Amino acid sequence: MPLHARIQRAVRQLIVDGALGPGNRLPASRALATSLGVSRDTIEASYAQLHAEGFIERRVGSGSFVAQITEFTPSRRAQRNTPSPGQPPNLSKRGDAMLGGGGVREHLSPRPFAHGVPDTRAFPLPLWERLERQVRKELGTQTLLHGDPQGAEPLRRAIADYVNVERGARATADRVLVLTSSQQALWLCANILLDPGDRIFIEDPAYYGARKAFTAAGLECVHIRVDRQGIVADEIIAAPQKAKAVFLTPSHQFPTGATLALDRRLALIEWAARHRTWIIEDDYDSEFHYAGKPTACVQGLDANDRTVYIGTFTKSLFPGLRIGYAVLPPQLVKPMTVARTLLDGHTAPMAQLTLARFIEGGHFGAHIRTMRGVYAGRLEKLALLVRKHLPDVEPRVPAGGLQMPCVLNGDLSERAAVDAARRVGIELLGLSALHHAGNGEAGFLMGFAAYTPLEIESAVRKLAKTLQSVR
Ligand SMILES: Cc1ncc(COP(=O)(O)O)c(C=O)c1O
């Protein structure tokens, strides 16, 4: 910032803070210039700007004075009750709920075994940059304009083709809404499909991002047990309370890794149609399935159009991309698109168009195939090392995903394990906190995808040593 602007800001701050009161004389420009060791022109420029903004008056022959601005007198400041820095802000109930929930902060520089992170070091960045340049060259400044709130058409088409072929969905480009993340899709569902006070069935344990989005929207979460076949659908169907929606992670339940059994999927689809309830399907990492093909998504089985399918490129490509999407029942396309215009207008066009080319050119499929092999190897390695070095930790090897749940069998408490690990720079996500009553099986999630076999090995050894010391 130029010197004159810095001086002008400093003087303005003194006036705003009341340190220089109305009528106070400012030093003569020559004297201030000498004392600050700057030119008189610099001071003149600062004073001229303060004068133009109305903070000072300049009287020919007598000097410069702080203007009579009653807003800045001490009594007015007291009346305004300006909060002191330590005072809690006066928020709405909704704002308080959001702040109290703590939001969803992900790791900025992931270290073993932070969960849910893909290996960004293996991403084909030069290829991505080449596609980006191609888009820029062909479309020029058009990419700098606002984009369609529903998403760029080529990307919507590419997403629809992908989910139809790979996930067995029933999608068309005009039913796809491109968003910034699946978190944004969850927020939209919570606020557009339900009212504060409405009930939603959610898995127990559950993905914290979903639970926080629903709680912040004022919804009442009704927690439904998850077993080895996913959410216990019978408990939903037999529940005495009615709910407006159910939240599911059917391909790979977060955090247990269970796949929702086909009979339960069909039962929930039938139940949703009967009660005119929404199914919110979060299909966040089904690209990475290591044993055979993943089961088709619920949305593809739902002929009644009660399912909102949510996908994201956070895991399949990289989290910094910030592109997620929803495949919507036709009647929800307009309301959801209009609602998103109030959040962020649209997703950045450059990233969308580059991604569309990345998918159309077959690079997305190729990247997934490569990473699936890499991650399968890392999962196997992690399970092996855990069995070998961590005697009272039982790995529950999942069929897919980027993290492995582990259960504690011995005396070691989950809290002690998680805290001890953090002290030596290792991240474990405790499982019991993901249960609404905090009373689930003690254990933790270990992310493996983002770390090389060597990093995994060295972190497991370090973990073994530190857990030994707290046993
Ligand atoms: C179940 C689940 N859904 C969604 C997400 C996040 O996806 P996004 O970055 O698109 O919000 C995660 C990330 O950890 C997740 O575990």
Side-chain angles (χ1 to χ4, degrees), residues 207-442:
Y207 173 49
Y208 50 87
R211 186 174 335 146
K212 287 183 179 190
F214 301 149
T215 308
L219 311 186
E220 184 194 331
C221 292
V222 180
H223 306 272
I224 303 291
R225 208 159 47 86
V226 167
D227 65 17
R228 295 201 174 207
Q229 296 191 301
I231 197 164
V232 182
D234 283 349
E235 290 189 6
I236 293 178
I237 294 161
Q241 322 101 310
K242 296 281 161 275
K244 284 241 180 97
V246 56
F247 170 75
L248 305 172
T249 47
S251 324
H252 181 220
Q253 204 273 332
F254 186 97
T256 63
T259 301
L260 185 61
L262 181 63
D263 57 342
R264 294 189 186 184
R265 291 172 188 238
L266 297 173
L268 287 173
I269 289 171
E270 155 65 19
W271 164 84
R274 204 158 4 101
H275 295 282
R276 300 183 54 74
T277 304
W278 299 109
I279 298 176
I280 302 169
E281 176 177 27
D282 182 2
D283 200 27
Y284 61 107
D285 69 0
S286 56
E287 289 82 7
F288 301 112
H289 206 81
Y290 309 122
K293 249 181 118 54
T295 43
C297 64
V298 172
Q299 192 268 359
L301 297 171
D302 180 4
N304 314 309
D305 280 333
R306 302 301 308 174
T307 304
V308 173
Y309 174 92
I310 298 174
T312 178
F313 293 98
T314 286
K315 323 278 176 190
S316 53
L317 294 179
F318 54 99
L321 180 59
R322 291 293 80 201
I323 298 188
Y325 55 92
V327 180
L328 299 166
Q331 72 272 33
L332 291 186
V333 173
K334 187 166 177 207
M336 291 287 207
T337 306
V338 169
R340 95 74 60 92
T341 65
L342 294 169
L343 292 178
D344 57 356
H346 59 87
T347 306
M350 261 314 284
Q352 289 192 66
L353 295 169
T354 307
L355 175 56
R357 283 195 190 199
F358 192 79
I359 300 175
E360 282 161 6
H363 310 298
F364 181 63
H367 182 62
I368 297 298
R369 281 192 295 280
T370 307
M371 298 320 288
R372 199 181 285 144
V374 170
Y375 295 165
R378 292 178 183 182
L379 171 60
E380 197 181 322
K381 171 113 192 164
L382 176 64
L384 203 108
L385 287 165
V386 168
R387 285 197 187 101
K388 184 165 164 199
H389 296 288
L390 305 176
D392 39 15
V393 177
E394 180 196 329
R396 298 254 166 101
V397 184
L402 309 185
Q403 58 261 337
M404 178 173 80
C406 290
V407 172
L408 286 168
N409 286 328
D411 294 336
L412 187 60
S413 84
E414 179 183 304
R415 189 70 269 147
V418 171
D419 288 347
R422 182 156 304 139
R423 282 197 293 276
V424 294
I426 292 175
E427 292 297 331
L428 302 174
L429 179 70
L431 288 180
S432 39
L434 301 172
H435 289 260
H436 89 282
N439 60 352
E441 263 182 322

